[in-house]
Amino acid sequence: VYNIESDPAIRKLEPTFKKQFGIQARDTLLKPTSKDYFIQGLYTIGSIGTVTQTDMSDCDIWVCFNKNEFDRRAWEHINQKINLIKDWMDENVKMPVYFFISDIDAIRLSEFGRVDAESSGSAQQHILKEEFYRTCILICGKIPVWWLCYSESNRIDYNDALAAIADENFGDYDLIDLGNLEQVPTNEYFGAALWQFQKSLTSPLKSIIKMVLLKMLLDAPQEELICHQFREMVFAKKPGEPFPDCGIFTTEAIFKAYKGQNKSLLQFIKECFYLRCDIKLYDRKRNIKTRLAYDFYKRHPLERETIYKLEKANTWAFNEQIEFGNRLLYHLHQIYRDISAAHTDIASETDRRDLTILGRKISAYYLNKESKVCILPKPTGTLNLSFLSLDLIDGNWSVFSGNDRQTALISHQNIVLAIAFMVWNKIFAPNMIRMRPNSSNVTHKEIINLGMKIQDFLGSYDSMDVDITNYLKEEYIVKLLIVAGFERSPWEKDISDYSVVYTNCWGELFVRRLDARANFKAFLAKALKANPNIEINKYLKRSFTSYEKTIARSKAFVFPNIK
């Protein structure tokens, strides 16, 4: 890496690493040779090194190089070397680290390819560059010219700065031209908002602040870029003022833009930011993160009682988690509706296609449909559940968390749906399922067996498992599990009670009860007509005395042409 031999911290660490990796050479490995290929710079991007970094954060590192200086052999070697480093870090470093080999010319032109495999909306090229300039930390190598193009008294033109650097009397040895950035096209903000809302379905706490930021930028696209504002704040910092943190600065910009507006949303954003950053405001240690957060919440206060509650988020009761999760989803949905209603006129053809996709994806996540298994909102990724208890109350099967009998996670007449609900929401664990005594024909063992069958065959909910092009198609069944007579007596010989558990092409799970053979056959015929390639499986209680006969009869219904 360029200029690594001048870094005193690296020089100090070199003997330790040489010893760790069994390197016997006495001479330094940091001094470059004529055969070396240079990495121009290593830079972090994102939350790392900011108030928003937590124990759950990963570290994204851009490895910037000049592609024109690398031949094919050198290109293969740098990929091999980075893969070896990545493997070593996976084994020895708790924080996940990801490397992105980036060509300087491509960065300069804001050409990053497709930002994410599941991204929707316009290509987010300039937005990624804005985030880089706003959040990057130089690990080693050259300083981006953009960061030096600031003067309190005069506006510095980027091209003029490049021309000055190119002068032989100046020399650009320590500087790197990654390109200027003055504006971001409005349709990129719109596409990014769609993409971010898609991500919010699985990471709502992380996404809501970014959604509000994108809405702010869409509402005022002519405003100076946040990265420019942050750069100005860094250079204008006076001795004694708080350390400039881009996470704090970005959130501060949101409060400044929406001052006096939508107070309930801003109040909620303060709570989300507290949880997102894993802040401990009253921690006695008062590290730099705590001090910066303290200054922020001095300007935007939270009630002391709210702070104490947020700091105990890991121990919230299940009902509190669900309540907070519902608030998250409500505000996310409102932001999405506001953005969609106000800015569809700037949407590109790709955006309009993605609006259709996202609308159907939202429907698959939020919308209640007949016989559909609903999804539990998980604001912090996990739910605080102990064991799960099933109870038959007035003809309904209810699932409770532990001994809490006040609020059921789900209550339904069909126990197959209750079991599928636990599996689909990733809260099913065979050794954590209990059942209160009741007069039904259902046994605890059969509940476990059916849950494991659903888990093995249909899996659990994950929106990212669905090909986004599926949302452009009409719904059809992909996988179907037939459950025969689950609540019937094991002594019944003629089973005419079927439950069908199935997933469709939109990634939704349904459970329907069909209480007559004719209804079962009609349902099956309709499903196979829409998709003749349905993957079909079956489950029958082993306790049935006529097990083999019932299996044979079920096969005859499903596959009439197969003997």
Side-chain angles (χ1 to χ4, degrees):
V1 180
Y2 175 83
N3 207 31
I4 193 170
E5 71 277 10
S6 301
D7 190 319
I10 296 292
R11 289 205 309 269
K12 185 178 179 180
L13 283 171
E14 186 186 8
T16 304
F17 275 97
K18 286 171 74 173
K19 183 179 179 181
Q20 181 172 355
F21 291 105
I23 296 170
Q24 303 297 325
R26 291 184 178 182
D27 294 337
T28 177
L29 302 177
L30 299 177
K31 189 176 181 179
T33 70
S34 58
K35 297 180 180 179
D36 286 338
Y37 290 83
F38 279 99
I39 302 299
Q40 300 297 313
L42 298 175
Y43 312 88
T44 66
I45 178 175
S47 63
I48 205 75
T50 75
V51 165
T52 56
Q53 179 185 333
T54 68
D55 291 343
M56 303 302 291
S57 296
D58 52 27
C59 179
D60 293 339
I61 297 176
W62 282 14
V63 182
C64 296
F65 78 117
N66 190 335
K67 193 174 182 180
N68 297 326
E69 296 176 357
F70 278 62
D71 57 27
R72 183 178 182 85
R73 181 171 173 272
W75 169 249
E76 290 173 351
H77 281 191
I78 188 177
N79 278 273
Q80 181 185 18
K81 187 168 188 176
I82 286 176
N83 284 333
L84 288 168
I85 294 170
K86 177 74 172 74
D87 290 344
W88 181 86
M89 285 186 162
D90 287 344
E91 290 186 12
N92 295 278
V93 181
K94 290 183 179 179
M95 175 181 291
V97 180
Y98 302 99
F99 294 98
F100 299 88
I101 307 176
S102 308
D103 176 35
I104 293 168
D105 288 340
I107 298 172
R108 191 179 297 125
L109 297 171
S110 299
E111 294 177 352
F112 300 104
R114 193 155 179 83
V115 176
D116 197 310
E118 74 268 359
S119 66
S120 61
S122 303
Q124 299 161 44
Q125 314 287 33
H126 297 85
I127 283 180
L128 184 60
K129 195 166 186 175
E130 191 279 333
E131 182 185 3
F132 173 75
Y133 278 146
R134 174 164 43 93
T135 66
C136 74
I137 296 174
L138 172 65
I139 300 172
C140 189
K142 296 184 178 182
I143 301 168
V145 172
W146 180 90
W147 256 103
L148 301 184
C149 288
Y150 174 80
S151 170
E152 189 175 353
S153 55
N154 299 306
R155 183 182 180 277
I156 298 178
D157 181 81
Y158 189 84
N159 290 325
D160 290 345
L162 288 181
I165 293 166
D167 188 289
E168 61 181 10
N169 295 320
F170 189 98
D172 65 344
Y173 303 114
D174 294 324
L175 300 175
I176 185 170
D177 172 22
L178 296 177
N180 194 23
L181 185 68
E182 292 295 336
Q183 289 296 329
V184 173
T186 311
N187 67 313
E188 270 200 38
Y189 286 136
F190 187 81
L194 297 184
W195 179 63
Q196 197 58 237
F197 193 84
Q198 175 174 308
K199 291 190 73 175
S200 74
L201 299 180
T202 51
S203 304
L205 192 61
K206 191 174 181 179
S207 295
I208 189 167
I209 298 171
K210 289 187 177 181
M211 284 285 291
V212 176
L213 175 65
L214 289 166
K215 182 180 184 305
M216 178 191 84
L217 297 171
L218 271 168
D219 290 342
Q222 302 308 316
E223 290 287 326
E224 186 181 25
L225 292 177
I226 302 293
C227 61
H228 283 257
Q229 298 176 41
F230 183 59
R231 181 178 62 182
E232 180 179 347
M233 190 268 278
V234 169
F235 281 106
K237 178 184 176 298
K238 294 179 175 59
E241 291 183 343
F243 180 85
D245 180 87
C246 62
I248 292 283
F249 183 84
T250 303
T251 310
E252 191 85 63
I254 294 171
F255 280 83
K256 183 180 177 182
Y258 290 113
K259 187 177 181 180
Q261 305 175 42
N262 205 337
K263 293 182 179 179
S264 64
L265 174 60
L266 290 182
Q267 172 66 22
F268 189 60
I269 290 297
K270 283 190 282 186
E271 295 179 32
C272 289
F273 189 66
Y274 202 96
L275 284 179
R276 164 75 180 86
C277 301
D278 193 19
I279 297 168
K280 299 289 185 287
L281 211 56
Y282 298 132
D283 196 325
R284 292 180 181 178
K285 294 180 180 179
R286 300 300 299 273
N287 56 26
I288 187 170
K289 180 173 180 174
T290 308
R291 293 199 302 272
L292 290 171
Y294 186 85
D295 290 335
F296 175 80
Y297 282 102
K298 215 172 166 183
R299 296 187 294 275
H300 309 285
L302 280 171
E303 295 289 336
R304 185 177 287 262
E305 184 179 338
T306 302
I307 290 174
Y308 284 139
K309 181 181 177 182
L310 292 171
E311 291 188 353
K312 295 179 180 178
N314 290 335
T315 62
W316 281 356
F318 167 78
N319 293 339
E320 290 178 294
Q321 288 183 302
I322 294 300
E323 188 273 333
F324 192 88
N326 286 332
R327 287 172 68 195
L328 256 176
L329 295 180
Y330 168 78
H331 285 294
L332 279 166
H333 202 216
Q334 288 297 113
I335 296 166
Y336 167 74
R337 289 179 62 183
D338 291 345
I339 290 174
S340 300
H343 301 289
T344 48
D345 57 318
I346 63 169
S348 66
E349 185 177 339
T350 301
D351 290 328
R352 292 191 184 95
R353 169 182 173 273
D354 290 335
L355 271 173
T356 301
I357 290 172
L358 188 55
R360 291 183 173 181
K361 196 162 191 175
I362 292 168
S363 168
Y365 188 92
Y366 290 105
L367 195 64
N368 289 324
K369 301 178 183 178
E370 184 181 358
S371 306
K372 179 180 170 181
V373 176
C374 64
I375 300 166
L376 285 173
K378 299 178 182 177
T380 55
T382 56
L383 295 173
N384 292 333
L385 298 167
S386 52
F387 61 88
L388 297 177
S389 175
L390 282 93
D391 200 355
L392 183 59
I393 305 172
D394 298 328
N396 282 331
W397 287 96
S398 298
V399 179
F400 296 98
S401 171
N403 293 314
D404 177 10
R405 321 300 294 167
Q406 295 183 344
T407 307
L409 279 70
I410 187 171
S411 186
H412 201 273
Q413 289 181 336
N414 189 356
I415 190 173
V416 176
L417 190 143
I419 297 168
F421 170 86
M422 291 187 286
V423 174
W424 198 236
N425 282 285
K426 301 179 183 177
I427 58 175
F428 174 84
N431 61 334
M432 300 298 286
I433 305 296
R434 309 284 187 272
M435 183 173 69
R436 286 179 173 263
N438 58 74
S439 58
S440 73
N441 293 307
V442 179
T443 66
H444 179 262
K445 179 63 176 175
E446 291 292 352
I447 290 171
I448 302 301
N449 289 345
L450 178 57
M452 293 174 67
K453 181 73 174 183
I454 294 172
Q455 195 172 56
D456 291 342
F457 182 60
L458 298 171
S460 302
Y461 173 76
D462 187 346
S463 65
M464 297 306 176
D465 281 347
V466 181
D467 187 327
I468 60 171
T469 59
N470 281 1
Y471 295 107
L472 295 172
K473 304 172 185 176
E474 294 302 317
E475 299 173 59
Y476 59 83
I477 295 174
V478 177
K479 285 186 173 185
L480 173 69
L481 177 67
I482 301 165
V483 183
F486 191 73
E487 294 186 59
R488 298 288 185 173
S489 166
W491 302 102
E492 290 191 38
K493 295 182 180 181
D494 190 14
I495 302 300
S496 58
D497 175 26
Y498 296 89
S499 285
V500 285
V501 188
Y502 58 92
T503 54
N504 66 11
C505 60
W506 291 7
E508 296 172 294
L509 183 73
F510 294 84
V511 179
R512 289 186 59 183
R513 173 177 272 168
L514 305 163
D515 55 5
R517 289 184 197 171
N519 294 340
F520 173 64
K521 292 183 75 173
F523 169 85
L524 206 57
K526 184 178 179 181
L528 288 167
K529 184 177 180 181
N531 177 23
N533 299 314
I534 296 174
E535 190 176 344
I536 299 177
N537 211 319
K538 60 190 179 302
Y539 179 84
L540 185 69
K541 293 195 296 185
R542 275 283 177 184
S543 58
F544 270 122
T545 54
S546 55
Y547 178 83
E548 298 298 339
K549 186 183 291 185
T550 307
I551 287 293
R553 188 175 294 155
S554 298
K555 281 184 179 179
F557 283 145
V558 181
F559 307 108
N561 299 322
I562 299 177
K563 296 182 180 179

